[in-house]
Amino acid sequence: MEANSLEPFNVSMQEVNPGKSLAAVVADPEGYIKEWNRQAELMFGWKREQVTGKHLRDTIIPQNYWDSHISKIGEKLRQRPGLALSHQIKIKSRRNCGEVFPAEFTIIPSKFGEHHLINFFARDVSGQSNTDTVLRAINGLARNLLGKTTLEEIAWEITEKVTHLTGVDHFGIYILNDKTGKLHQIAATGEKNTNAKNMPELAVGKGVVGKAAETGEPVLVEDCSEFEEYVYGNYPGVSELAVPIIDNGTVLGVIDSEHTEKEFYYRYHLDIFTTIASLSAAQIRVALEKQRRIEAENSLRESEERWQQLITDLPDALKITKNGQITYLNPAGLRLFEADSMEQMYDSDLYKFVCDEEKNKVAAQHELLAREGVAEPIEYTIKTLKGNERIIEANSTAIHTKRESCVQTILRDITDKRSTENAFRNMSTLLRTLIDNINSGILIETPDRVIMHTNQMFCELFGNQFSSEDIIGQDCGAMVEPASQMFAEPETFTIQTNQVFERSKPSLNEEWKTVDGRVFERDFIPIWYDGEYLGSAWQYRDITDKKNVEQKLRTALETERNYNELNKNLVSMVSHEFRTPLTSIYSTAELLMQYGERFKGKDLEKRLLRIYSSAQKMDSLIQDVLTLGKLESNNTRFDHQEFSFSGLIQGLIKVLRVTTLKDREIVIESKTEMDNLYLDQNMTELILRNLLENSGKYSSAPDKIILNYSITETEFTLSCQDFGIGIPEKDREIVFESFVRGTNTQDIKGTGLGLPIVKKLVERMNGDIDLKSKVGYGTTVSVTLPINRQN
């Protein structure tokens, strides 16, 4: 069937699957298996290690087919070593599980060096759908590959055959350079590939070819212009198919082809390339090994003297043993065993230097080396010729030649390393003990937020919701949300905690309030060492007591400021407010002293009343200042007792009619019949006095002043209303501050202490105060005080 007669297959890069590739099996003429590829493992069910060295008739080929067909091929090869022939047979093969299935074997003899081999390429034909064209092409290619032993010969043979068979524009074979880790083109056809050997190496994972080598799967790009990793610049190729060459699970190279048409490739092409990759994988691997061996032999011959110098100067000890006897030590090895010369150590029993309790460990390593050729490094203690103990790490390799077998071991003295590690462990234990006993909550996490350590104090701060053992190894990020619920602002706590971790910069002295009123202080400290981020530490401290002390200090400081402000304002007020009454007292007294005999009757009474009034004003001012000072310092004491409020009003109005309430009508309104009041009488009188004096001062006769009060068992309410100048709206808050007056009182004398005293007294008595005012209409001050007879 021709390629162009097939429908194109639409498969993405991830979906390309080689389908049923050829299983490759290599055996010697006697029928013993030498090689077994990955597809053979999948098809027959045996691992390569299970069948290597076993006979074909004991695994995949029944006895009767071996006797009648295949054994004769081996006999012909032995009789005529140069004979090149191939066969194709269909037999009933068998799998590891015992299942028998039809298989098609292409049998091709080959020769590698002096060794004759028989190559078996098998297909499961139980559901055969491949075309005969592909099979004939494979048979022809297989015959042509006979005798090709170099990579270039194999690659060019494949390239010419595939180009002729498929009609692709460009075709090439890339081999993975195990030294550079890159893909190198060794054969190619097409205009773009005329100078294949000068093509630059391709990185694994880069481009279509590199992607196939990276994934180990075929990669199909139906339109390279849309493939962002296409690496050939402006080359017009628009579709590409790359198939990896894999042997025993190892990618050896890539078969790559390109065509200038979009969606050019069919399943036909994929089958051919995949089959050829499987067919040639074993031969390419053998050629690679041969090339590497030749290179290694050349390198060995050229560097033998340098190698001898290298092991002489090797800082690690090199030991070679044969049958448990030491046959060689380099200078570092002699120093390790504290030997003066090799004569002291030659043919010495290896185990006599190993401590008794560890001899079994060394013996087990040597048995594993003898059986499998490799073994893991081990550590054990030796005793030198001088009796000193050293801890060593031994990395051993079995070396087999035609004549003998020996064990080569690199010995590293790790005594000091182990001593350092022990010191580190001791230091780590010390640090953990310190963290566990520090008076702060500590949590340490890794860069990926896994909790490494936390102390008991951390658990206690968070309410003992968990123990330190419970959360070690947990995801710290996942625990932030549940932990946030104990804080007053859980959402803010969660967001800021994650942001602090992502920034990975120190964050110190953050304060967080808990829902139960405590205050935590938090530090975040990222841990860096030698430029590497190792993790982070969180530290939480309960600073509730500290904050309470700070608050008390701030309160004391505020009180001191208030005292200072009071003293400053007092000095200013005394210099201003005391001057007038003092001047009046002084001038009147001086006048009476000089001309006293002239004043009689009402003239004398008038002047004496002036002195009395001025003295009373000064006394009232002094009392106001002293009262305000006590209220500011919280030193005011309250003496609750029962008294008649109406009697208090009448007595106070009588006194004030001489001064601020002169010629004024006082209207008293009561909403209750109850008259007795259970409060501090002096403080209640002080509130009433200041309200009446303010109303009288900032209103004019004959305007009324209305007092309204109500008394119940639990509450006392009082309001004082005047119809005076009122208070501007912008001043209604500041008039409760000491020595502050409204901006419309310039022509009215006053100290600015009345309302502040009333407000502070009401607050100390756990009451409320309210002020309503309108400029030109007057002011109403209302007071509500609780009554509690149990106080």
Side-chain angles (χ1 to χ4, degrees), residues 310-492:
L310 176 65
I311 63 170
T312 300
D313 298 335
L314 188 69
D316 294 323
L318 175 66
K319 177 184 68 182
I320 297 177
T321 56
K322 194 184 303 178
N323 299 323
Q325 307 296 311
I326 298 175
T327 61
Y328 176 77
L329 285 173
N330 67 345
L334 293 174
R335 289 193 295 272
L336 175 63
F337 285 89
E338 297 187 303
D340 296 328
S341 65
M342 189 59 214
E343 285 73 15
Q344 289 179 279
M345 300 294 296
Y346 188 76
D347 264 355
S348 296
D349 184 0
L350 167 68
Y351 294 96
K352 83 172 186 178
F353 297 98
V354 181
C355 292
D356 292 341
E357 60 270 18
E358 295 184 293
K359 287 181 180 179
N360 290 338
K361 184 195 298 186
V362 179
Q365 187 197 45
H366 279 242
E367 289 175 5
L368 187 62
L369 284 168
R371 186 171 62 252
E372 299 185 9
V374 293
E376 293 293 326
I378 60 172
E379 295 178 9
Y380 54 89
T381 304
I382 64 169
K383 186 169 288 188
T384 69
L385 289 176
K386 295 182 180 180
N388 298 314
E389 289 190 353
R390 309 298 294 176
I391 302 173
I392 62 170
E393 179 186 72
N395 194 336
S396 300
T397 306
I399 302 175
H400 301 288
T401 66
K402 292 182 179 180
R403 294 179 297 174
E404 58 188 2
S405 297
C406 60
V407 175
Q408 175 182 285
T409 305
I410 299 294
L411 301 175
R412 291 187 176 89
D413 187 345
I414 59 172
T415 308
D416 294 338
K417 176 184 175 183
R418 287 291 171 264
S419 176
T420 302
E421 289 175 351
N422 290 335
F424 177 79
R425 280 194 293 271
N426 292 337
M427 179 60 69
S428 178
T429 302
L430 179 64
L431 290 175
R432 284 179 178 270
T433 303
L434 176 63
I435 290 172
D436 290 341
N437 291 279
I438 196 170
N439 193 29
S440 297
I442 303 294
L443 182 144
I444 300 176
E445 59 180 331
T446 64
D448 54 356
R449 308 221 68 178
V450 175
I451 298 174
M452 295 174 58
H453 186 68
T454 185
N455 63 358
Q456 185 60 35
M457 177 60 71
F458 182 88
C459 301
E460 292 175 2
L461 289 177
F462 282 84
N464 288 316
Q465 302 176 42
F466 42 75
S467 66
S468 57
E469 293 79 9
D470 291 337
I471 64 173
I472 290 176
Q474 299 294 319
D475 183 354
C476 185
M479 297 187 66
V480 174
E481 177 68 26
S484 70
Q485 301 306 310
M486 69 176 289
F487 293 95
E489 300 179 11
E491 185 175 349
T492 303

Side-chain angles (χ1 to χ4, degrees), residues 627 629-638 683 761 764:
T627 300
K630 289 182 179 180
L631 292 172
E632 292 282 0
S633 63
N634 293 328
N635 290 327
T636 307
R637 296 181 59 83
F638 295 92
M683 299 305 170
L761 276 170
R764 296 293 184 268

